[in-house]
Amino acid sequence: MVTSSAAEVGHATLRGTPVVPGLAFGPVLLVAHEVSPAAVVAYAGHDDVESALTAYDAAAQAVAEGFTAKAARASGAATEVLTASAGLTRDKGLRQAVATRVEGGAPLLEAVHEGVAQFVDVFTAMGGLMAERATDLLDIERRLVARLVGEPEPGVVLPEAASVLVAADLAPADTAGLDPDVVLALVTEKGGATSHTAIIARQLGIPCVVGVAGAMGLEPGTSVLVDAIAGTVESGVDADAATARVEADRAARAATDSWTGPAATTDGVRVKLLANVADGESARHAAGAPVVGVGLFRTELCFLDRRDEPSVEQQAAIYGEVLDAFAGEDRYVVVRTLDAGSDKPIAFATLDDEENPALGVRGLRLSVHNPGLLERQLDGIAAAASASATETWVMAPMVATIAEAREFAEQVRARGLKAGVMVEVPSAALLADRVLEVVDFLSIGTNDLTQYTMAADRLASDLAHLTDPWQPAVLQLIAATAAAGQRAGKPVGVCGEAAADPLLAVALIGMGITSLSMAAAAVRAVGAQLSSVSSDTCRAAAEAALAAPDPMAGRDAVRAVVS
Ligand code: PEP
Ligand code: MG
């Protein structure tokens, strides 16, 4: 929605859902997904073979360097895939295939297309892993063509100068490699507060606004002020005024950043703050935050780029990195088993062609079709746990029944580990007392609990008002689950994005939630907020939030209680 008025010529404000707080001012860098047909048509081509091949070499060099730079910033499997793509782009055989066609009189773009097609055919005929590289070749072709016609490469290109990245949407793999030093803010047209773009942006501490209608219409290179607290993207603003606002926000944030924990209410009730991590690197980073451990290790994020299931030994090494980052007295790590499927497709696990993947074979449900997958993962986790000194808890995603919880817990306990399940499906919240009879702990995934309670796709940008954990129906289920935990004397944490909202965190603690797990970047703001209130205030905040008729009223009511 553009809300500029005639009086403010050039000034326009787009609105979306703020998901990672912060302000940023910088030039727009649009993330294109396809090379525009007009640019291809307008491409003049080359007069002779030599100049065509010189242009090809320059384009291949630039594309390969892009992959290499991205690989250097990524970690684990992502680095391997990106490095392999850089090698493939520089491949002499591929260049020869293009050169032969150019020498035969073909225009360069046609020669590139046919040269790549020849390799795709060869790889496809070889089958197995090589066949899977055909997709990478097609990606390389699009990037080469973009470079040749003078357009930005499709997908996320790391900006050379600090920029505001604007995209229709971002895949988790795209977002994972972003560098917070050059990406000032993220703005996407699609996606809600609980999309994985938002989750990874929070992990990286990059201000982010999602569901911004019209964002892709922003002029590349023009400076915009992103206010990821209010959820606005303003163009045509005075540069000095915008810079002053960004500086003021940075100063306020620095004050919160000096909070060092441990988290406790003013009357001395301790609150466990934990980190959400994706791999060894993010765990080592999180270990520097004032947290007592990891409340959610999303193991599937280690495997986004993997085509084949890693062996038990490889898995143990990957999980061990996270456990080792949290070695020490009273620290622990909650490892979540693969949550593949739906918005997190994993090549070796996800079922193809599901009609409705969010309600399909996702998370723990995958183990029904492929029981070995879960068993091998549990073996990998157990091997990592026995090789490390860190206390290891294991939980399953997408649990809907008591039988699922019981069976999972038996498998985890058989390996000597503490067993829990996530509460993401309303049925698990409604049965919390009975689920707690068969597990050691619960962890509420508010992102999916909200999606399934409100019947609203967490990725749908136009449903952001429903995919809001402040919805009273969601809060009722959280409160009921927390109360069951108190009755059973077992821990019930929150590890969805709701835990990262300082105001909501106060209400959650008031409901009886025993731990809050969030991106490391969000911990200090939550800890500072909790340390400024008493446990009576937390309880009053919980009551106010639960009594409110809608999210906005809930936020206002809790703000009034807290201030
Ligand atoms: C959740 O659903 O709240 C959760 C923590 O799991 P994920 O976001 O990874 O689906
Ligand atoms: Mg979930």
Side-chain angles (χ1 to χ4, degrees), residues 336 339 344 362 422 424 445 447-448 458:
R336 175 174 76 182
D339 186 19
K344 287 170 286 190
R362 181 193 157 178
M422 292 187 73
E424 299 182 288
N447 308 336
D448 278 313
R458 63 193 269 181

Side-chain angles (χ1 to χ4, degrees), residues 110-479:
E110 188 184 311
V112 169
H113 179 66
E114 288 184 0
V116 168
Q118 176 192 329
F119 268 63
V120 167
D121 288 347
V122 171
F123 281 20
T124 307
M126 287 162 94
L129 255 188
M130 295 309 281
E132 283 159 9
R133 303 250 45 194
T135 317
D136 301 352
L137 272 167
L138 295 173
D139 181 42
I140 289 168
E141 179 188 342
R142 273 185 310 168
R143 289 171 189 276
L144 286 172
V145 171
R147 287 277 175 182
L148 287 169
V149 305
E151 286 222 327
E153 283 183 38
V156 175
V157 203
L158 283 177
E160 275 149 27
S163 307
V164 171
L165 215 63
V166 179
D169 204 358
L170 290 169
D174 282 338
T175 332
L178 297 181
D179 177 356
D181 287 339
V182 283
V183 180
L184 299 172
L186 280 174
V187 174
T188 63
E189 270 195 352
K190 298 199 169 90
T194 53
S195 66
H196 284 90
T197 297
I199 291 168
I200 297 175
R202 185 166 286 129
Q203 216 142 43
L204 296 168
I206 300 177
C208 178
V209 188
V210 298
V212 181
M216 288 304 281
L218 287 167
E219 194 61 36
T222 55
S223 287
V224 290
L225 175 66
V226 179
D227 181 341
I229 300 166
T232 55
V233 180
E234 289 177 70
S235 45
V237 287
D238 175 71
D240 289 340
T243 308
R245 281 181 60 191
V246 171
E247 287 306 324
D249 171 69
R250 205 164 283 155
R253 225 153 278 284
T256 300
D257 284 353
S258 62
W259 184 84
T260 53
T265 56
T266 51
D267 50 328
V269 177
R270 291 288 280 267
V271 178
K272 275 199 179 110
L273 297 186
L274 301 155
N276 290 355
V277 304
D279 54 16
E281 191 180 325
S282 59
R284 286 186 288 277
H285 168 72
V291 292
V292 294
V294 169
L296 172 63
F297 170 17
R298 289 185 165 98
T299 56
E300 66 283 352
L301 297 186
C302 300
F303 307 128
L304 287 173
D305 295 321
R306 288 262 183 175
R307 287 149 204 283
D308 296 305
E309 183 187 337
S311 67
V312 170
E313 294 71 30
Q314 286 170 329
Q315 292 191 51
I318 292 168
Y319 307 148
E321 278 195 44
V322 172
L323 298 184
D324 290 346
F326 281 87
E329 279 279 297
D330 297 332
R331 300 188 110 185
Y332 65 101
V333 170
V334 183
V335 184
R336 175 174 76 182
T337 54
L338 276 187
D339 186 19
S342 189
D343 53 340
K344 287 170 286 190
I346 304 293
F348 61 84
T350 312
L351 297 195
D352 291 331
D353 302 328
E354 283 193 291
E355 288 272 330
N356 194 348
L359 299 179
V361 183
R362 181 193 157 178
L364 183 65
R365 296 170 183 188
L366 278 164
S367 65
V368 174
H369 296 256
N370 187 351
L373 186 68
L374 176 63
E375 282 162 17
R376 287 187 291 277
Q377 185 174 30
L378 292 178
D379 287 344
I381 297 168
S386 66
S388 116
T390 307
E391 186 176 331
T392 308
W393 302 13
V394 188
M395 66 182 180
M398 278 298 282
V399 171
T401 70
I402 299 163
E404 285 173 351
R406 181 187 297 113
E407 202 180 315
F408 178 78
E410 280 166 3
Q411 286 178 279
V412 173
R413 288 182 182 139
R415 291 167 173 83
L417 303 170
K418 209 163 174 178
V421 295
M422 292 187 73
V423 174
E424 299 182 288
V425 183
S427 62
L430 293 166
L431 295 172
D433 281 306
R434 289 155 72 189
V435 175
L436 276 163
E437 286 170 11
V438 299
V439 299
D440 304 315
F441 68 96
L442 297 177
S443 183
I444 306 177
T446 45
N447 308 336
D448 278 313
L449 185 61
T450 305
Q451 157 166 268
Y452 297 125
T453 304
M454 303 306 297
D457 184 345
R458 63 193 269 181
L459 301 179
S461 50
D462 34 8
L463 297 180
H465 61 294
L466 294 176
T467 52
D468 187 330
W470 284 86
Q471 280 289 350
V474 179
L475 295 179
Q476 296 285 348
L477 290 174
I478 296 172

